[in-house]
Amino acid sequence: MPDIHKLSVKRVKGIGDRRSSALEQVGIHTVADLLGFLPSRYLDRSTETPIAQLPLKQEATVVGEVVASRMVPGRRPRFVATIRDESAELDCVWFGGYKYMNDAFKVGDWVSVGGKVTDYRGQRQISHPEVELLSGSEEDEDDRVHTGQIVPLHRTTANMKSSSLTARTLRRLIWDALEALDIDDSMRPDLREGLPSLGAAYRSVHFPESLDDVEAGRRRLAYDELLTVAVWGLSQRPRGSAMAVTSQDSATRLVESLPFDLTGGQQRALSEIQHDMTSEGTLHRLLQGDVGSGKTLVALMAALAVVDSGAQVAIMVPTEVLAEQHANNIQLMVEPLGIRAGLLTGRLRAADRRAAEALVASGQTQIVIGTHALLQEGTVFKQLGLVVVDEQHRFGVTQRLTLREKGEDAHLLVMTATPIPRSLALTLYGHLEVSTIDEMPLGRQPIKTGLRKGKDRDNAFSFIREQVTAGRQAYIVYPRVEGSRGVRSAKAAYEELTEGPLSGLRVGLIYGSLKGQEKSTVMEGFRSGEIDVLVSTTVVEVGVDVANATVMMIEHAERFGLSQLHQLRGRVGRGEAESYCILIADPDEELTEDAEARLNAMCETTDGFRISELDLEIRGAGQLFGTRQAGLPEFRYADLIRDQDLIEQARQVGDRIAETDPDLLGYPWLQERIEALTASGLTIAESG
């Protein structure tokens, strides 16, 4: 039997060039694509009911004899066919004057009719019903597709309809494909552990005997996706051994110099990282923790151990603002240890950049902090031993590999301040071990969060004035740098605020496309306290650490994602003073259900782990970090909330496959699915 994943959809009876072209517009090229085009909903027409007992406003199926048919003229001309069973009569009505229906119905025909029953002037009727002609034999009744069972409804596009691909036609094509094909299941029963065969799964999701069958079929298709992703992830694990770290001297000296103790979460994470680096394998780990939990300090101690062992460290971050802050902070911490840290970004002047690259190439710069500039060919390391990727969801796998390949089997540590639900960690990050910092440093103040409508903006600005008068600082964040209809921009707000509500205060403006030197000047002014209020876009979303800032005001908060709002809130609450996050929603725009859920969640909890779970529930996996940016596979069947058990099962089976056959020599079908997935436009090849 040919592989349905390779079999052209044209092999299905009734699909020619015109229909196949329309199907290709929605991504249906093969028979597997067609069978994988799941119904959007179902109509339960499984019970045949005598006409006299038909419940109104419910889907039903009736079998009877056509006793009359006629065209009814008028303002809304219609065709009416009357059918009768042993109990009563029922009118089937098509509005619009369907003259061709005269040829479709002959008095004396037996038909099966399905649809929603209504009452018209005391007479039961169904408008535009599904009709199937019956010969009267049992075999004919068993072959019904549109009536007498739970009937699937597939979404169709205008292009499909213009090619005669209605929901009814799709239903028939899928039925014919399932009837004609003996679907081969490449997955052995021991790998799917109780889930139905592939053929049974497709039949269950399209033509179920009960709605429970639909879920059973979907779960099998979901498991195929999850196993493919799990095995792909596990195949990304390094097979060689990196340089073994032999000294912790500098890390120990740094800890002893700190005016505080590491939290238990930091100690556990550091222990796991050190174990990986001192073993015969390679550190390949995700370090996750809430905003302000101390991930950077843990990463720095890992970096010091690598430097002590004679190698260099590259720390890659997504923005220049964050790179400069990390470089300044790390340099202050490592200089007393006799270690040199340096900065490398794309906006350095040419001469400064060449000088920075020369220090890295010679090994004199032992820890280099940079942006995507680290990936450039001109950046060469003498001996790269560890790659640290901060805010790792901003980078793709190939970017991480490009940097890691500048060394020989370098260790890899990726970090995120957006805690990842376990379901995502097991699927998207199956190739990484996970360390979690699940507690905050002592002394961190909880951040009070409130939601206000735009009419309360003046009160918010008055509160900011009070905070500045008390010696504090504030952020005001906007979704865009330039104006657009109905949305305040950072530039326009800066002009408005300096002349109005915040006049007399020292207000700064920063955004992503601001020239590098200007950006650095503004940030340094805010850090040093020379700027009271920083008006910004989301360029301050990650890493910016100003302990004296106590207010984060976010305008048009409904336009931000939940994780993004949480990250922005994390810019305050970094000192000993009480801190506040003020969410301003547009008073002229009714909140969508999702937006309201996000904003309410922000007000209810400051727990980043809970925030990540809520974000997954609200937005789904495909948008949690921004699909293209983060590389999350857009699962067609899997639900990372409902399918926790399948995720665990796929991970366990994937582990077994990866251990016994890492090259998938015995699983060519799985290798083909991985290759198809990574080449299909789903961005799993760029995940993380």
Side-chain angles (χ1 to χ4, degrees):
M1 177 64 209
D3 184 351
I4 61 171
H5 293 86
K6 298 178 181 178
L7 194 64
S8 170
V9 75
K10 289 184 180 181
R11 295 288 295 275
V12 176
K13 185 178 76 171
I15 299 181
D17 290 340
R18 187 181 178 195
R19 283 180 171 173
S20 67
S21 177
L23 289 171
E24 286 175 4
Q25 297 296 314
V26 292
I28 297 175
H29 304 273
T30 67
V31 173
D33 294 334
L34 177 65
L35 297 181
F37 190 63
L38 300 193
S40 58
R41 61 190 179 97
Y42 298 85
L43 302 177
D44 190 352
R45 296 174 180 162
S46 58
T47 303
E48 292 182 9
T49 306
I51 293 174
Q53 298 174 20
L54 286 174
L56 295 178
K57 299 182 179 179
Q58 292 185 28
E59 291 286 336
T61 293
V62 171
V63 174
E65 181 184 5
V66 178
V67 295
S69 63
R70 60 196 182 279
M71 290 293 303
V72 180
R75 187 171 57 86
R76 294 187 69 196
R78 61 194 184 277
F79 175 81
V80 181
T82 302
I83 68 170
R84 176 192 298 157
D85 66 7
E86 294 179 352
S87 67
E89 291 185 351
L90 171 76
D91 284 344
C92 299
V93 181
W94 287 264
F95 291 95
Y98 288 89
K99 295 181 180 179
Y100 67 85
M101 300 298 287
N102 272 319
D103 299 325
F105 290 92
K106 296 182 176 61
V107 173
D109 283 345
W110 279 82
V111 293
S112 177
V113 176
K116 185 174 290 188
V117 183
T118 59
D119 180 87
Y120 179 70
R121 296 180 178 178
Q123 172 68 17
R124 284 180 170 82
Q125 72 173 30
I126 299 178
S127 297
H128 296 271
E130 294 281 8
V131 179
E132 292 182 280
L133 186 65
L134 304 176
S135 64
S137 68
E138 273 186 41
E139 181 180 345
D140 191 46
E141 291 197 20
D142 287 343
D143 285 341
R144 282 182 284 170
V145 177
H146 313 293
T147 60
Q149 61 182 336
I150 294 175
V151 176
L153 284 179
H154 299 81
R155 286 195 179 95
T156 54
T157 64
N159 187 47
M160 293 168 73
K161 291 174 182 175
S162 68
S163 301
S164 303
L165 278 170
T166 62
R168 180 185 175 94
T169 305
L170 272 173
R171 190 183 306 137
R172 169 56 71 179
L173 293 173
I174 292 170
W175 173 275
D176 289 344
L178 287 170
E179 289 292 294
L181 298 172
D182 181 15
I183 297 174
D184 182 40
D185 195 341
S186 302
M187 191 184 297
R188 303 191 310 264
D190 64 300
L191 297 182
R192 48 186 165 90
E193 298 178 3
L195 293 168
S197 69
L198 194 57
Y202 281 131
R203 189 166 288 279
S204 292
V205 295
H206 288 292
F207 302 102
E209 293 185 7
S210 73
L211 293 179
D212 288 341
D213 290 346
V214 174
E215 178 62 4
R218 182 203 65 81
R219 280 172 57 82
R220 167 56 207 275
L221 301 179
Y223 180 71
D224 281 19
E225 283 187 316
L226 292 168
L227 181 60
T228 301
V229 172
V231 173
W232 171 84
L234 293 166
S235 72
Q236 305 304 303
R237 287 182 172 177
R239 299 186 190 179
S241 297
M243 173 197 73
V245 169
T246 57
S247 172
Q248 303 290 342
D249 180 57
S250 293
T252 301
R253 289 166 58 197
L254 176 62
V255 171
E256 290 173 348
S257 71
L258 296 174
F260 53 83
D261 295 327
L262 297 182
T263 65
Q266 286 175 307
Q267 292 173 354
R268 284 192 301 274
L270 183 59
S271 177
E272 291 165 352
I273 290 167
Q274 289 172 339
H275 174 270
D276 290 352
M277 293 198 302
T278 54
S279 68
E280 294 182 357
T282 301
L283 173 70
H284 203 69
R285 187 170 286 272
L286 167 69
L287 175 60
Q288 64 171 350
D290 209 344
V291 177
S293 60
K295 298 178 299 298
T296 304
L297 180 58
V298 171
L300 177 57
M301 287 190 285
L304 292 175
V306 170
V307 171
D308 279 353
S309 301
Q312 294 167 286
V313 177
I315 301 176
M316 185 165 66
V317 301
T319 68
E320 295 202 348
V321 170
L322 183 55
E324 291 173 2
Q325 177 173 286
H326 275 342
N328 291 335
N329 293 341
I330 289 173
Q331 185 65 54
L332 289 174
M333 298 176 80
V334 303
E335 263 186 356
L337 304 174
I339 294 172
R340 180 171 191 160
L343 175 68
L344 184 59
T345 67
R347 291 190 179 177
L348 288 177
R349 291 182 302 179
D352 292 338
R353 178 165 176 167
R354 285 193 298 271
E357 289 175 342
L359 290 171
V360 173
S362 67
Q364 294 178 68
T365 296
Q366 295 145 303
I367 301 175
V368 57
I369 302 97
T371 55
H372 292 78
L374 294 174
L375 304 173
Q376 301 302 314
E377 290 184 10
T379 305
V380 178
F381 294 83
K382 184 177 181 181
Q383 184 182 357
L384 181 60
L386 169 66
V387 169
V388 178
V389 181
D390 198 6
E391 293 302 325
Q392 57 82 36
H393 60 273
R394 302 287 191 93
F395 300 95
V397 165
T398 53
Q399 291 173 317
R400 295 200 310 240
L401 292 177
T402 297
L403 183 53
R404 188 168 174 262
E405 287 169 358
K406 289 178 180 285
E408 187 173 340
D409 292 325
H411 294 289
L412 175 67
L413 178 66
V414 300
M415 302 193 296
T416 180
T418 304
I420 299 163
R422 176 173 171 76
S423 56
L424 272 183
L426 286 175
T427 50
L428 186 61
Y429 302 109
H431 55 301
L432 297 168
E433 299 297 335
V434 179
S435 291
T436 301
I437 301 177
D438 54 5
E439 55 189 302
M440 300 296 283
L442 292 175
R444 288 297 298 267
Q445 296 290 323
I447 303 166
K448 293 184 177 180
T449 304
L451 173 61
R452 303 287 184 269
K453 282 290 187 178
K455 62 185 179 182
D456 296 322
R457 289 176 77 236
D458 290 343
N459 292 336
F461 293 134
S462 296
F463 180 71
I464 288 174
R465 273 190 172 279
E466 292 173 10
Q467 289 287 299
V468 171
T469 301
R472 306 302 177 190
Q473 293 166 275
Y475 300 90
I476 305 178
V477 174
Y478 293 84
R480 294 177 178 168
V481 62
E482 300 285 358
S484 66
R485 187 175 180 181
V487 180
R488 283 189 180 84
S489 69
K491 283 185 176 180
Y494 173 75
E495 298 295 334
E496 173 197 341
L497 296 175
T498 53
E499 296 174 4
L502 300 183
S503 61
L505 301 185
R506 298 169 298 177
V507 182
L509 172 65
I510 190 170
Y511 47 90
S513 58
L514 194 64
K515 291 183 179 179
Q517 187 55 51
E518 293 178 58
K519 194 185 298 180
S520 298
T521 300
V522 173
M523 278 311 307
E524 185 52 40
F526 191 61
R527 288 193 191 99
S528 66
E530 295 175 8
I531 292 175
D532 300 317
V533 180
L534 185 61
V535 175
S536 173
T537 59
T538 56
V539 70
V540 298
E541 177 186 344
V542 293
V544 177
D545 187 356
V546 178
N548 192 49
T550 57
V551 181
M552 168 59 72
M553 176 175 164
I554 304 171
E555 291 240 42
H556 294 290
E558 73 279 357
R559 293 177 175 265
F560 294 84
L562 184 51
S563 291
Q564 193 172 40
L565 289 170
H566 182 63
Q567 286 273 23
L568 288 168
R569 175 169 60 184
R571 297 311 103 214
V572 297
R574 293 176 168 264
E576 296 181 356
E578 194 164 41
S579 293
Y580 308 86
C581 178
I582 306 171
L583 307 173
I584 304 292
D586 190 334
D588 300 321
E589 184 175 315
E590 186 175 350
L591 292 179
T592 65
E593 186 176 337
D594 282 359
E596 190 166 1
R598 290 196 302 272
L599 298 180
N600 287 337
M602 280 289 291
C603 296
E604 290 168 7
T605 182
T606 58
D607 181 347
F609 290 90
R610 179 61 184 146
I611 289 285
S612 70
E613 291 170 355
L614 291 170
D615 208 11
L616 179 59
E617 292 174 14
I618 294 169
R619 300 172 66 194
Q623 299 180 31
L624 188 58
F625 297 114
T627 304
R628 286 288 164 190
Q629 187 175 6
L632 284 160
E634 297 172 352
F635 293 113
R636 296 177 65 185
Y637 316 114
D639 184 318
L640 297 186
I641 299 168
R642 281 193 291 167
D643 295 334
Q644 299 283 329
D645 61 324
L646 292 182
I647 292 167
E648 296 278 359
Q649 181 178 333
R651 175 61 182 268
Q652 291 171 10
V653 173
D655 273 329
R656 199 163 75 225
I657 292 173
E659 286 177 12
T660 59
D661 189 357
D663 294 318
L664 303 180
L665 299 178
Y667 304 90
W669 55 273
L670 191 51
Q671 182 66 54
E672 288 173 1
R673 289 183 193 178
I674 290 172
E675 291 172 358
L677 186 64
T678 56
S680 68
L682 297 181
T683 54
I684 185 168
E686 295 293 326
S687 71

